Amino acid sequence: MQLLEKEISLLETYRNILLSLYPELKEMTENLPKYNPEYYAIASIPAQVIQYLCEKDSQRIVQSIQAYIRFCDTFKQKQIEFIRNQSYAYQDFEQVNKEVYQNQNYMAQTYYPALLFSYLFSSNYFEILRVFCQYFIPLTQTKQGKSCEIGIGHGLLSALLLSRNSNLQGVGIDISPVAQQVSARVSKFFGLTPIPVCIEDATHQITQKNNQVMICAEVLEHLPQPQQLLENIYAALAENGLLFLTASINMESVDHLYWFENDMQVQEMVEKTGFKIMQKNIAFLTSQDYRNNPSLQNRLMKRKNPCTVIFILTK
């Protein structure tokens, strides 16, 4: 109970700082723990990772929260433009790669801190982590051998997986060199040796084959041709292997290129590749209590509310 109290206190500290700087998120941050009974147990994991990365320095924590706020403001502006124009602003992957992924200061100071805070305060990201922890990781407990995360980024998902299954040997693939540095530190938080990260474009090739477990979270929408990545993942996944896959729908960002208009577009692409669906969840970006309300989910999807589709797949 004492540990839980510390975890709750840390999350509330982050929340209070966030709302003092950005009160627009009050409803979202209040309703996440209200509608999700496992909120503190799940969100405490990235909360502690953030504290570790910031070395418990209050100034650095505030700077990371400010990075999340900048990210939210950019998203809000781009979402307004997307609704007006019915298209994403960027179409050129090389431009995004140069301006975002190869911009080491932006990736380290804004992008990765913002993604980690999203697990705490954005309903769709919280749901990604919840499904990963509560459903995907337990399914992988019988697996041993190689695991691979495409777009490993900060490395939280892979580190969580490897910390709970010592029979897996993980690697990551990312196009940003900053992923090596940040994921190494996150690995250390979990008591792991740094996860090897290959800096390569997974749409061209995935060098590690015969993976028993693979992760590809929030990557498909970043590509002009996501089908090619899915085919490469399928080829790199072992028979009966497991894949955790997510994709953003109707959600603009600094680096989104492919517009999925609904969950079925992603599902059709997944099934065309040959994957078998074991589980599917929809994670909406909303302060409403949608999880156990199918009619509300349908209304939100029809209104093109931003969301993330989450799949657990097998080959």
Side-chain angles (χ1 to χ4, degrees), residues 35-204:
Y35 297 143
N36 297 280
E38 60 281 273
Y39 174 77
Y40 289 104
I42 299 295
S44 67
I45 301 168
Q48 292 174 78
V49 169
I50 291 165
Q51 186 182 51
Y52 176 82
L53 293 176
C54 292
E55 300 176 336
K56 298 186 178 181
D57 184 299
S58 58
Q59 184 176 356
R60 291 177 63 182
I61 289 170
V62 170
Q63 289 171 346
S64 294
I65 291 174
Q66 289 171 331
Y68 176 63
I69 291 170
R70 291 196 300 272
F71 203 81
C72 289
D73 273 336
T74 300
F75 165 74
K76 184 165 63 175
Q77 294 164 10
K78 285 188 168 294
Q79 196 69 14
I80 291 170
E81 294 172 5
F82 161 64
I83 292 170
R84 182 188 303 120
N85 300 325
Q86 290 295 289
S87 66
Y88 289 167
Y90 289 108
Q91 305 294 326
D92 184 354
F93 177 80
E94 291 307 322
Q95 179 186 359
V96 170
N97 184 31
K98 179 180 178 181
E99 295 180 1
V100 181
Y101 311 132
Q102 303 308 315
N103 184 337
Q104 297 195 25
N105 182 65
Y106 177 75
M107 294 298 290
Q109 302 301 323
T110 298
Y111 196 90
Y112 287 146
L115 293 186
L116 285 169
F117 270 105
S118 294
Y119 288 122
L120 311 186
F121 301 126
S122 297
S123 57
N124 62 317
Y125 260 75
F126 169 77
E127 182 70 358
I128 290 171
L129 190 58
R130 184 188 74 84
V131 173
F132 186 80
C133 291
Q134 292 189 336
Y135 296 103
F136 186 71
I137 287 180
L139 285 173
T140 67
Q141 294 306 295
T142 59
K143 298 295 183 181
Q144 55 183 340
K146 294 188 287 188
S147 72
C148 179
E149 180 171 3
I150 309 301
I152 189 172
H154 45 62
L156 176 64
L157 297 183
S158 277
L160 256 174
L161 171 70
L162 298 175
S163 71
R164 299 184 184 182
N165 185 346
S166 60
N167 292 317
L168 289 172
Q169 299 84 48
V171 302
I173 294 175
D174 207 286
I175 203 165
S176 173
V178 182
Q180 291 177 322
Q181 306 159 25
V182 179
S183 65
R185 296 186 64 203
V186 173
S187 299
K188 189 175 180 181
F189 169 81
F190 285 96
L192 304 168
T193 56
I195 300 169
V197 177
C198 303
I199 303 303
E200 63 184 42
D201 186 342
T203 62
H204 295 158

Side-chain angles (χ1 to χ4, degrees), residues 109-297:
Q109 302 301 323
T110 298
Y111 196 90
Y112 287 146
L115 293 186
L116 285 169
F117 270 105
S118 294
Y119 288 122
L120 311 186
F121 301 126
S122 297
S123 57
N124 62 317
Y125 260 75
F126 169 77
E127 182 70 358
I128 290 171
L129 190 58
R130 184 188 74 84
V131 173
F132 186 80
C133 291
Q134 292 189 336
Y135 296 103
F136 186 71
I137 287 180
L139 285 173
T140 67
Q141 294 306 295
T142 59
K143 298 295 183 181
Q144 55 183 340
K146 294 188 287 188
S147 72
C148 179
E149 180 171 3
I150 309 301
I152 189 172
H154 45 62
L156 176 64
L157 297 183
S158 277
L160 256 174
L161 171 70
L162 298 175
S163 71
R164 299 184 184 182
N165 185 346
S166 60
N167 292 317
L168 289 172
Q169 299 84 48
V171 302
I173 294 175
D174 207 286
I175 203 165
S176 173
V178 182
Q180 291 177 322
Q181 306 159 25
V182 179
S183 65
R185 296 186 64 203
V186 173
S187 299
K188 189 175 180 181
F189 169 81
F190 285 96
L192 304 168
T193 56
I195 300 169
V197 177
C198 303
I199 303 303
E200 63 184 42
D201 186 342
T203 62
H204 295 158
Q205 64 174 350
I206 297 176
T207 51
Q208 175 158 302
K209 307 295 184 182
N210 198 36
N211 296 285
Q212 296 297 319
V213 179
M214 295 189 74
I215 302 166
C216 182
E218 301 299 86
V219 175
L220 294 184
E221 65 276 4
H222 298 238
L223 306 170
Q225 296 179 319
Q227 182 71 54
Q228 182 60 58
L229 177 60
L230 284 174
E231 290 171 4
N232 290 355
I233 292 173
Y234 189 84
L237 188 66
E239 200 70 27
N240 299 315
L242 295 170
L243 169 64
F244 183 81
L245 178 77
T246 79
S248 292
I249 297 168
N250 296 315
M251 192 180 301
E252 175 66 297
S253 188
V254 294
D255 53 353
H256 288 186
L257 299 175
Y258 194 94
W259 175 21
F260 290 108
E261 297 185 55
N262 55 63
D263 59 302
M264 289 308 299
Q265 288 182 345
V266 187
Q267 181 170 328
E268 288 166 6
M269 195 175 285
V270 162
E271 291 176 329
K272 178 183 177 182
T273 307
F275 291 105
K276 297 175 184 176
I277 298 173
M278 299 178 67
Q279 183 173 325
K280 175 183 173 183
N281 295 70
I282 305 291
F284 288 95
L285 182 59
T286 178
S287 59
Q288 299 181 73
D289 185 12
Y290 70 88
R291 256 177 68 180
N292 300 306
N293 190 335
S295 62
L296 176 57
Q297 292 181 31

